[in-house]
Amino acid sequence: MIPDSCDETAVLDRAEASCRQRGASLTAIRREVLALLHRAPKGIKAYDLLEQIRHTRGNASPPTVYRALDFLIEQGLAHRIGRMNLFVACRHGKHSAPSLFLVCPKCNGVTELEDAAVVSSLYASLAATGHRLDSPEVEISAICPQCAAA
Amino acid sequence: MIPDSCDETAVLDRAEASCRQRGASLTAIRREVLALLHRAPKGIKAYDLLEQIRHTRGNASPPTVYRALDFLIEQGLAHRIGRMNLFVACRHGKHSAPSLFLVCPKCNGVTELEDAAVVSSLYASLAATGHRLDSPEVEISAICPQCAAA
DNA sequence: GGAGGAAATGCGATGTTATAACATGGCCGC
DNA sequence: GCGGCCATGTTATAACATCGCATTTCCTCC
């Protein structure tokens, strides 16, 4: 589980560039939080994140983490998984369409996928009732292959 | 929004019967909570529910409500909406297939629908990644027609 | 009817997640 | 320098959910 630091740096640098493009800045704190998210193999809880970030910033408090998370989500660099209060880094460079998040309730694993067929039938169904998709994130509770095997 | 008490009683009685069938019992507290859920036009929060139930049971505490909710959800009589910490009564007599929950983030309105096309394409997508749908509840954040108009 | 046991409830405390409110610090253009 | 702006620090608290244990209720078997 030791990250390839070269890859990580590259990812963070790309994130920084994309923020800058939008007039936002990926500050040190935000970058650290994003790095922690990327290192986590699964969804991670805000307070676990807090604990981890205290290793480098002893004075971090809940708002420190939540503000960084809000920023990252706003910038499309991270996602919030509502049901389980989990946060994950976005593994996609860019979202052309809404994503489906398969959240495993056993292990907190999050799989992000874009499936045009599902999304288009979803749109049709929504349109039929006059609704409009609000968030590009659709969350689905599904047992992952590993947990299903166990 | 004043409920038709005759309908309400009928709904509750049916719920009670279906519990009994499964060897569970819809006690007074659970019945009251279910009634409150049915009266609510939208998703309702646990602590709002608590406040309401204190009108008739002054001594109710958080566990009172959460226990009743857990029971109702277990029995398929209610659903939890994860993102917003909302609870809603299930308006369907019986679920033959997973339901989609359209949750409006503006007004907390919850629309429950069963759409075979979406569900089947969803299943196909899940199968492709080796996942298995865990919960019969798929939650989607979507602006409702009323809020979209406003 | 009474003993035993399972399920439900009462009750207080606690754990967990998230935000409010206000102060401070640093940067930049003027 | 000073005024505005964004980010951060700091303290407190709001909002959501569960634990643990005592007590009651209700059922069932004798």
Side-chain angles (χ1 to χ4, degrees), chain B residues 62-82:
Chain B
T64 310
V65 169
Y66 281 104
R67 287 197 280 232
L69 287 171
D70 287 347
F71 173 86
L72 294 173
I73 289 166
E74 214 172 82
Q75 296 294 316
L77 297 170
H79 300 289
R80 164 178 304 213
I81 305 299

Side-chain angles (χ1 to χ4, degrees), chain A residues 4 12 15 17 24 35 40 45 62 71 75 77-78 81 94 113 115 129 133 136 148-149:
Chain A
D4 182 322
L12 295 178
K45 304 214 171 210
F71 173 86
Q75 296 295 316
L77 298 170
I81 305 298
K94 168 118 188 164
L113 60 86
D115 183 313
T129 62
L133 201 56

Side-chain angles (χ1 to χ4, degrees), chain A residues 49-119:
Chain A
L49 221 38
L50 175 57
E51 195 190 329
Q52 293 200 24
I53 206 172
R54 283 218 246 241
H55 295 162
T56 56
R57 294 178 174 272
N59 60 340
S61 62
T64 309
V65 170
Y66 280 104
R67 287 196 280 233
L69 286 171
D70 287 347
F71 173 86
L72 294 173
I73 289 166
E74 216 172 82
Q75 296 295 316
L77 298 170
H79 301 289
R80 163 179 304 211
I81 305 298
R83 250 180 123 58
M84 324 273 305
N85 306 309
L86 295 175
F87 298 85
V88 293
C90 177
R91 256 81 186 183
H92 289 180
K94 168 118 188 164
H95 287 283
S96 53
S99 281
L100 304 176
F101 287 82
L102 308 183
V103 184
C104 178
K106 307 268 192 211
C107 70
N108 289 355
V110 178
T111 306
E112 187 177 350
L113 60 86
E114 293 184 1
D115 183 313
V118 174
V119 171

